[in-house]
Amino acid sequence: FDSGVGGLTVLKALADRLVGKWPGREETWFAQIKVLQQMRDGAGIRAAAREIRRRGVYLSPEGRASLAFWDRDDKPAEGKGEAHA
């Protein structure tokens, strides 16, 4: 399968259809996140993670761990990062 830009566009459309047809399935959401990862679409990944939480999709332990990875806050933790004078 062509995983170039055109192929990724087709995969993204397929992943969107899967999520539309089975919105309560963990597998469909992670298929979408995988395509978004290949597209280097961080904002799309974060939006998908928020939507999974908003919809209350049941997640397996592995799914919860994966979602936690993708749903991280990109801000530095308290006390980390640049020191202020």
Side-chain angles (χ1 to χ4, degrees), residues 8-76:
L8 289 175
T9 302
V10 171
L11 288 174
K12 174 68 168 72
L14 179 58
D16 289 345
R17 286 184 65 192
L18 290 172
V19 166
K21 188 164 183 159
W22 294 290
R25 298 286 308 258
E26 168 183 351
E27 297 86 357
T28 61
W29 285 101
F30 284 107
Q32 185 178 61
I33 287 175
K34 184 171 181 143
V35 172
L36 292 166
Q37 176 192 13
Q38 292 172 338
M39 295 175 81
R40 300 179 186 270
D41 183 358
I45 293 169
R46 288 186 295 278
R50 282 191 305 272
E51 192 64 14
I52 290 169
R53 292 198 189 283
R54 186 185 75 76
R55 290 178 182 241
V57 175
Y58 173 79
L59 298 173
S60 66
E62 296 83 11
R64 286 192 297 274
S66 294
L67 185 62
F69 175 82
W70 291 114
D71 200 22
R72 293 186 308 224
D73 189 355
D74 291 333
K75 298 174 193 162

